[in-house]
Amino acid sequence: MNRTQVAIIGGGPAGTLLSHILRRHGVESVVLERRSKEYVLGRIRAGVLEQGSADILREYGLGDRMDREGQAHDGVYLAYRGGRFRVDFRELAGSSVMIYGQTQVQKDLYDVVDAEGGVIIDEVEDVRLHGLTDDRPAVTYVRQGVEQRMECDFVAGCDGSHGVSSSSIPDIVTYERNYPFGWLGILSETPPIAEELIYANHPRGFALCSMRNPMLSRYYVQCDIDADVSDWSDDRFWEELAARLPDDAVTSLVTGPSIDKSITPLRSSVAEPMSHGRLFLAGDAAHIVPPTGAKGLNLAISDVVYLSRALVDFYASGATRALDAYSDTALARVWKAVRFSWWMTTLMHRFEEDGSFGPKVQEAELEYLSESPAARTAMAENYIGLPL
Ligand SMILES: Cc1cc2nc3c(=O)[nH]c(=O)nc-3n(C[C@H](O)[C@H](O)[C@H](O)COP(=O)(O)OP(=O)(O)OC[C@H]3O[C@@H](n4cnc5c(N)ncnc54)[C@H](O)[C@@H]3O)c2cc1C
């Protein structure tokens, strides 16, 4: 095949969801993915779906397994000063989030793309974009040593933070904040410590208790930016986690061997604009958020919703208004999620450079949140996801 309507670079959640939604609306696409299918399906990443993201997956026939195996959560706990309080999403904002791993979302997407005859070409190398400001752009790539050329109407850059698409936008400006710490995360086949997530602010640093299903827990502790994962035995991790959690939670902590252990640096980054000629960026190709607010995967989904609507509109009527507005439309939502993720990161982590002042302000804000339904409502609205 050497021609398609939309060439999609990257077969992560953004690229495969875009391909699937377009196909359901009769628009052809080809996904070019650098890694093998097995590699993409094995990646362990996000786990919290906003209400709007879950609704989009349902609308496009991807909700059955999610609704069967996922867990709807109506709230989260925030812990500090040895205690914790709950932010009740349903009571405050009328909705919930869905706990369903990105690994599962990705599997559902590959399954539906395969079942419906979508095209994902994996293990491509040296992807290059051409003629983005012409009427006939093209993508070249190498597969199994042979260079190929694909002509298209549009290119969707869904190739994540290390892709090639964003560097094809000549005057792109990146707004960035690097946080001076990382997250050491483990996955363990143990029952979760609580029925809902616990975010803990502690003098030793942040901790998060999350989960993927009733026998798969995901835990994180804030660590030094240059920490080495090999210095963290499972025992050391569990001790550190327990030291940062309220006593009433620790009594329910079930430990076990980790089946995955990794360190993730924390960064906020937004590239503007998200389009250039016939190239449109979506997901991590355009923005990165620290995982504290659980927004990365959700932003990839909301970008894809805006972009697919604009492309479907174009193919239905020839109108370019939504495509022309895509970058501004997507960025308006992206920045609100970036703000929320930055706010949660700033509220919950230990920042050495803030000395003794920082933790006092954090505790005052946590106390205010615990006392004020208005403050909790603002958090709940953002956590379940702003409207698409
Ligand atoms: C280690 C880790 C942990 C995370 N944890 C969380 C979390 O807990 N909560 C949360 O909300 N978010 C988390 N995220 C973020 C979330 O996973 C991402 O926001 C989400 O994957 C974005 O989807 P995407 O499709 O835009 O990008 P990606 O998932 O990165 O997909 C991009 C795809 O493009 C491919 N690609 C790259 N370059 C090329 C190229 N040149 N040619 C062809 N293909 C290319 C890549 O192989 C990849 O498959 C995490 C991310 C990482 C890396």
Side-chain angles (χ1 to χ4, degrees), residues 9-15 32-35 39-40 43-48 102 106 124 127 158-164 183 212 218 220 262 264 282-285 287 289 291 293-298 300:
I9 318 300
L32 299 173
E33 166 58 47
R34 185 175 56 175
R35 303 286 195 170
Y39 182 93
V40 172
R43 284 190 299 223
I44 294 161
R45 291 183 170 178
V48 179
Q102 180 170 333
Q106 189 73 80
V124 301
V127 170
C158 303
D159 45 354
S161 55
H162 303 295
V164 290
W183 277 17
R212 293 292 180 269
R218 186 88 165 125
Y220 300 93
S262 59
T264 309
D284 279 18
H287 38 72
V289 284
K295 294 293 172 220
L297 173 59
N298 291 296

Side-chain angles (χ1 to χ4, degrees), residues 91-214:
E91 177 195 22
L92 297 161
S95 196
S96 57
V97 291
M98 177 66 83
I99 305 301
Y100 189 60
Q102 180 170 333
T103 315
Q104 308 308 324
V105 174
Q106 189 73 80
K107 180 177 183 320
D108 294 345
L109 278 163
Y110 267 73
D111 286 351
V112 79
V113 169
D114 285 348
E116 297 187 6
V119 183
I120 300 175
I121 304 177
D122 67 356
E123 299 188 310
V124 301
E125 296 170 275
D126 199 18
V127 170
R128 292 171 198 232
L129 316 185
H130 308 273
L132 295 171
T133 51
D134 303 343
D135 282 352
R136 290 264 173 241
V139 178
T140 54
Y141 61 96
V142 174
R143 188 153 197 278
Q144 293 173 344
V146 180
E147 180 161 292
Q148 312 269 357
R149 181 181 173 88
M150 168 111 42
E151 315 253 313
C152 55
D153 301 329
F154 298 100
V155 179
C158 303
D159 45 354
S161 55
H162 303 295
V164 290
S165 301
S166 61
S167 54
S168 304
I169 300 186
D171 296 322
I172 201 158
V173 177
T174 303
Y175 301 87
E176 194 164 39
R177 165 153 305 181
N178 290 297
Y179 299 90
F181 41 72
W183 277 17
L184 170 66
I186 69 159
L187 199 61
S188 79
E189 288 171 321
T190 49
I193 188 169
E195 70 287 0
E196 293 175 338
L197 275 65
I198 303 175
Y199 288 83
N201 172 308
H202 191 274
R204 297 179 70 92
F206 169 76
L208 171 61
C209 305
S210 182
M211 69 284 285
R212 293 292 180 269
N213 65 48

